[in-house]
Amino acid sequence: MTLPASPLSVTELTGSHHEVGAEHGRIHRHLIERGLEVYGQLFQDFVGIRWEEARDRACHFEAQIAQGFPEILVEMNGIAWGADVDFIDILTLNCRSEIALTQASGGCSAFSLQRHGKQWLAQNWDWRHDQLDNVVALHIRGDGRPALVSIGEAGMVGKVGLNDRGIGVCLNAIRSQTCGVGLPIHIALRKILECDDMPSALAVATHDRVCSPAHFLLASAQVGNERGKAVGLEVQPGEPGRIEPRNGIVTHTNHLYAEDTPCPVHDFPRTDSRPRLRRLDTLLNDELPPDADIDEARLFGILSDHQGAPLSICRHFNPDQPAEERMETLFSVVMNLSERRLTLRHGKPCESDASLSISLS
């Protein structure tokens, strides 16, 4: 059993981007310091580079961020100031996918579900156990911006979450050697969480673009008479591939499969990605009755599935893998976008039903 060292609480951050960043850095200074150490080792394990070289690579993305989302550079400077570390260290943390994911895609299984007039998003985040205790839940209320919740890693500006406009996003990592012009993955996720509506959220992928491949599962709640909607976006420097819902469902793991992608790129997923996707499809399409009551517990049950263990949807330690590939589920999240509520299980969802629920309604 792999449990966090202590229960996770919500970090409340308010004000300008600089104020939000400074408080983030101050509150989570020790976690950020530990995260810098963890990624120093991860970069060495995955791509054979030292931290100084990773910093040099991260600097390449600063100009692209300044063009597409300059306010977030102010927030990262605030994080660095609050944590008493160098700005380039925080930039490197936030560009870690572009630096390391050519070799490591982790796991991650995500789905959207529209049922009984409600729009749901859910996923497991699978990564190295080293980062289990560096997970943070950020509740950000910025000046003149949508209130949002982001579940991610200390020192990083965004990952999985939702906002008070009913916009939510999940992430699946993709192993690929493609990297071009656009926003780094975690910067793009945060920009989506600051969007007021679905068209502006979609524009992050179609206009700003994302500099390296990933899958963003984007959804919105019902607004007025308009039903909620979801779309899978296989983002990249070119036009993203799109996966539309079937029977109100979109599923994704860690390989590219959108049809008729305008700008196809090459990926090289690990062998467990396709079996996990098939299992998600079975659980949601074949084993979840159309008239079944849907709540967080039921969806956490899907995220707790162990078929194909240890490389299952709920992913456990596998001693037979090389040390650098031993990914585990570090958190699970279920979002009810219609009610603006995010529920988190820190650690594997099968090991405890203790949850942290954050409501923006």
Side-chain angles (χ1 to χ4, degrees), residues 55-116:
R55 282 168 47 101
D56 290 342
R57 293 189 185 187
C59 289
H60 167 76
F61 300 103
E62 186 174 0
Q64 294 168 223
I65 300 170
Q67 180 176 353
F69 194 8
E71 302 89 345
I72 210 65
L73 290 174
V74 175
E75 184 164 319
M76 283 193 278
N77 268 290
I79 295 171
W81 182 84
D84 195 24
V85 300
D86 194 272
F87 162 73
I88 301 301
D89 289 332
I90 299 300
L91 179 65
T92 304
L93 277 182
N94 282 277
C95 296
R96 59 86 154 165
S97 296
E98 288 65 33
I99 295 168
L101 286 187
T102 56
Q103 298 299 323
S105 64
C108 305
S109 304
F111 64 88
S112 67
L113 174 67
Q114 187 182 88
R115 192 67 62 84
H116 310 316

Side-chain angles (χ1 to χ4, degrees), residues 2-4 8 123-125 132 135 137 151 295-304 314 329-334 342-357:
T2 306
L3 296 175
L8 197 66
Q123 84 158 85
N124 283 348
W125 181 58
L132 175 66
V135 171
I151 311 301
D295 59 13
E296 283 85 355
R298 187 146 204 161
L299 299 187
F300 277 122
I302 292 173
L303 294 174
S304 299
C314 184
T329 297
L330 301 190
F331 70 71
S332 299
V333 63
V334 172
L342 180 150
T343 304
L344 169 74
R345 290 188 184 177
H346 187 196
K348 298 175 182 62
C350 67
E351 292 183 344
S352 172
D353 58 4
S355 300
L356 175 67
S357 186

Side-chain angles (χ1 to χ4, degrees), residues 256-318:
L256 301 173
Y257 77 94
E259 298 177 357
D260 302 320
T261 301
C263 303
V265 298
H266 180 65
D267 64 334
F268 44 106
R270 301 198 187 279
T271 57
D272 61 285
S273 182
R274 288 181 174 84
R276 280 187 288 115
L277 183 66
R278 289 193 296 270
R279 182 59 177 163
L280 270 181
D281 287 335
T282 296
L283 290 170
L284 289 161
N285 288 285
D286 300 338
E287 298 187 14
L288 187 66
D291 59 350
D293 291 334
I294 304 298
D295 59 13
E296 283 85 355
R298 187 146 204 161
L299 299 187
F300 277 122
I302 292 173
L303 294 174
S304 299
D305 186 77
H306 290 122
Q307 186 176 97
L311 302 180
S312 44
I313 292 171
C314 184
R315 191 178 179 113
H316 287 245
F317 177 80
N318 182 4

